[in-house]
Amino acid sequence: MSEIIKKPRGTSDYLFNDAEVFEEVRNSLLTLAKKYGCFYIMVPTYEEGKLFHRTAGESSDIVAKETFDIIRKGDKDYTLRPEFTAGINRAIIENKLYASPDMPLRISYFGPAFRYDRPQKGRLREFNQFGVEFIDTTLDINTIIDCLIFSYNAVKKITNKDVKVKLNYLGSFASREEYKEELKKYFAKKIDSMCDDCKRRLEVNPLRILDCKVKEDQLIASKAPKINDYLNKEDSVRFKQITQVLDKLKINYEIDSQLVRGLDYYTGLVWEIYSIDDESQIALGGGGQYSSLSKDIGGPPLDGIGFSLGIERLLLTMSKEIKSSIDIVIIDNKKDASIFDIVSTLREEGFSLSIVSASRSLQGGLKMADRLNASYAIIVDEENYKIKKLDTREQIEVDKKGLLKYFSEVSHA
Ligand code: HAM
């Protein structure tokens, strides 16, 4: 026998109900995005590698170590998208969407992303994201708050759980450079006892050390200087404005001065969303502002803010089961392929319909109809049709005209 081929580690098969729940979550999120004024766009699952690998000294693990890079095809390197933000901004620039007079642009997206990470609960190599990007020449406070509130409400609505936002404010490049210098001085004294990744981070971007997952390093990082002490006046005022609105709206948030996020492009507000009763504390979504991404990938100066939610993590958190069902199951005792005129008419009337395998007995067919959660079975005999209502087990016998009349009445009831 040939070897059974299994799916790659860190990927998922969505079967039956799971696939239906997935689709329902997708539809709810995209419908919600419309309420926030978003237009849906689709971008490729892979892009030129340099879109993601932009800088030589890249410090984000996602981009430096976890991308699926496709072996050179022709004269280009390609990379499966580890996230959407870079691709969406590339599409905005390439299609000149920024020339719209209707700013901010509000764009939504949904689809798979790929990261070569160590698979574990809630951490996959192929996973799906829903997200939005709001783009303007200069972002105003309304756009920033609307985006943050959207992410919070979306997670609450989908999971039906209490959720919490962790916030931080990374400030402008100038104030951050000063902060990085201070961090460098602080960590330089401790670095000998820290992990190899932190040693590399100290050289490339000491901010990243704040995000280290090693327990001992986290303890050292928790005592590092805080970014809030290095924000300029304008940034401090804006951060305060944001938290005041959140207080007013009774949004559950907490300021986490160690939150730096896993990607390098952030400036200004950053946040992550968690379910309150999730012990493992994995982020269901995250986002933030960015002010130089567009310029870095060859576009005009544009400000952006956005967030992405991990669909698989939402599915793990929510407690919802959809029992899929079908309207009609046909048990064809004649087995002469004469059923297709009624099959077509019933489907045109809007009924979902499946046909039992000819190898099944009548009893077997009825059991299958029950398992499929069907409302009706139609048993096709030599002369007539029996319609069985599966909840009450009532059965009537009709001719073809009677059958079509019966279901026409059901569909208009
Ligand atoms: P991110 O925090 O890297 O941000 O990912 C967003 C969400 O995607 C995470 O909170 C998590 O729910 C999900 N996720 C990430 N990695 C995995 C994984 N390996 N397995 C399962 N789920 C995962 C971004 O991707 C940014 N592009 C968000 C953003 C949009 N910032 C600005 N605009």
Side-chain angles (χ1 to χ4, degrees):
M1 254 215 334
S2 306
E3 165 203 15
I4 296 175
I5 299 171
K6 299 202 172 141
K7 64 180 160 43
R9 278 187 74 205
T11 64
S12 317
D13 291 324
Y14 283 91
L15 307 179
F16 311 123
N17 280 337
D18 290 347
E20 283 197 36
V21 175
F22 182 99
E23 276 306 301
E24 196 179 280
V25 167
R26 178 180 189 277
N27 292 339
S28 304
L29 287 167
L30 290 175
T31 306
L32 190 62
K34 283 198 185 140
K35 289 201 178 147
Y36 282 80
C38 297
F39 292 92
Y40 180 60
I41 73 171
M42 296 193 280
V43 291
T45 45
Y46 67 92
E47 299 269 1
E48 274 198 59
K50 63 186 178 202
L51 180 68
F52 306 112
H53 302 285
R54 280 184 304 277
T55 54
E58 54 198 16
S59 61
S60 136
D61 280 356
I62 296 170
V63 173
K65 300 201 296 194
E66 295 171 8
T67 55
F68 275 91
D69 298 312
I70 302 173
I71 299 165
R72 186 164 276 253
K73 295 271 179 208
D75 61 346
K76 297 254 163 76
D77 285 323
Y78 296 105
T79 296
L80 296 185
R81 63 181 176 214
E83 57 120 24
F84 280 74
T85 309
I88 295 287
N89 276 273
R90 195 263 318 131
I92 289 170
I93 296 164
E94 190 170 343
N95 297 288
K96 296 198 172 51
L97 303 186
Y98 56 79
S100 161
D102 309 318
M103 297 301 240
L105 285 175
R106 290 174 175 238
I107 286 171
S108 61
Y109 51 85
F110 190 103
F114 306 85
R115 295 183 190 175
Y116 194 78
D117 202 352
R118 200 157 52 84
Q120 50 193 290
K121 188 168 173 237
R123 193 171 296 284
L124 295 159
R125 288 184 175 166
E126 181 183 23
F127 58 98
N128 289 272
Q129 284 189 338
F130 158 79
V132 303
E133 307 299 333
F134 292 180
I135 308 287
D136 205 341
T137 36
T138 310
L139 282 177
D140 60 37
I141 187 83
N142 289 338
T143 306
I144 294 171
I145 292 174
D146 209 23
C147 188
L148 174 59
I149 291 174
F150 180 4
S151 65
Y152 177 82
N153 287 339
V155 174
K156 253 185 105 137
K157 181 177 158 71
I158 298 293
T159 60
N160 212 7
K161 295 265 160 69
D162 287 332
V163 297
K164 181 172 70 188
V165 184
K166 286 190 185 171
L167 293 181
N168 198 12
Y169 204 89
L170 300 181
S172 61
F173 275 116
S175 52
R176 218 169 46 213
E177 284 313 306
E178 195 191 332
Y179 177 57
K180 275 188 191 168
E181 279 311 310
E182 287 308 308
L183 278 184
K184 223 173 188 163
K185 281 189 214 154
Y186 171 81
F187 285 119
K189 292 183 213 140
K190 330 253 172 196
I191 201 69
D192 289 345
S193 68
M194 299 180 83
C195 74
D196 285 347
D197 275 335
C198 281
K199 291 190 174 94
R200 179 177 61 86
R201 289 170 184 139
L202 183 64
E203 293 312 313
V204 191
N205 181 359
L207 263 183
R208 285 259 86 79
I209 300 181
L210 299 177
D211 208 22
C212 181
K213 300 288 177 270
V214 176
K215 264 224 160 71
E216 295 73 24
D217 294 352
Q218 277 178 346
L219 192 67
I220 298 174
S222 69
K223 294 181 185 140
K226 304 281 176 267
I227 195 155
N228 304 33
D229 298 330
Y230 293 83
L231 294 181
N232 63 28
K233 182 114 195 291
E234 201 185 323
D235 286 334
S236 304
V237 169
R238 179 149 277 199
F239 194 26
K240 184 113 203 106
Q241 266 180 314
I242 294 169
T243 54
Q244 277 169 347
V245 177
L246 299 184
D247 286 332
K248 242 194 200 149
L249 294 174
K250 298 199 168 34
I251 285 183
N252 187 357
Y253 74 90
E254 160 192 314
I255 296 173
D256 176 352
S257 55
Q258 261 172 265
L259 182 75
V260 287
R261 308 268 304 122
L263 292 145
D264 275 340
Y265 47 64
Y266 292 108
T267 50
L269 183 72
V270 289
W271 73 94
E272 285 178 353
I273 305 171
Y274 294 84
S275 155
I276 285 176
D277 35 66
D278 174 25
E279 301 276 296
S280 59
Q281 284 300 293
I282 49 170
L284 301 174
Q289 271 178 269
Y290 46 91
S291 57
S292 71
L293 179 60
S294 174
K295 270 192 299 178
D296 290 348
I297 59 174
L302 291 170
D303 255 0
I305 185 167
F307 68 85
S308 308
L309 308 181
I311 304 303
E312 285 72 11
R313 293 190 188 177
L314 291 176
L315 292 171
L316 276 177
T317 309
M318 63 194 268
S319 38
K320 186 165 189 189
E321 229 194 85
I322 295 179
K323 196 148 172 45
S324 53
S325 61
I326 193 155
D327 298 321
I328 303 169
V329 163
I330 298 220
I331 303 166
D332 180 13
N333 289 335
K334 275 166 78 182
K335 303 185 179 46
D336 61 357
S338 62
I339 54 173
F340 285 95
D341 52 348
I342 63 156
V343 163
S344 304
T345 311
L346 290 172
R347 284 199 180 122
E348 269 163 33
E349 283 263 6
F351 292 100
S352 53
L353 185 153
S354 186
I355 306 167
V356 174
S357 159
S359 64
R360 288 276 177 279
S361 65
L362 173 62
Q363 280 318 311
L366 288 172
K367 278 189 187 148
M368 172 169 157
D370 286 332
R371 281 192 298 270
L372 292 179
N373 211 15
S375 304
Y376 300 93
I378 298 176
I379 302 149
V380 183
D381 283 326
E382 273 319 311
E383 293 304 321
N384 281 334
Y385 302 87
K386 294 193 188 87
I387 303 172
K388 197 173 190 73
K389 249 182 129 233
L390 290 161
D391 54 351
T392 60
R393 302 321 251 196
E394 278 170 73
Q395 184 170 300
I396 55 165
E397 199 163 332
V398 287
D399 59 11
K400 190 195 266 179
K401 224 166 122 197
L403 178 105
L404 295 176
K405 185 163 171 279
Y406 181 94
F407 282 105
S408 167
E409 280 168 13
V410 169
S411 80
H412 293 107

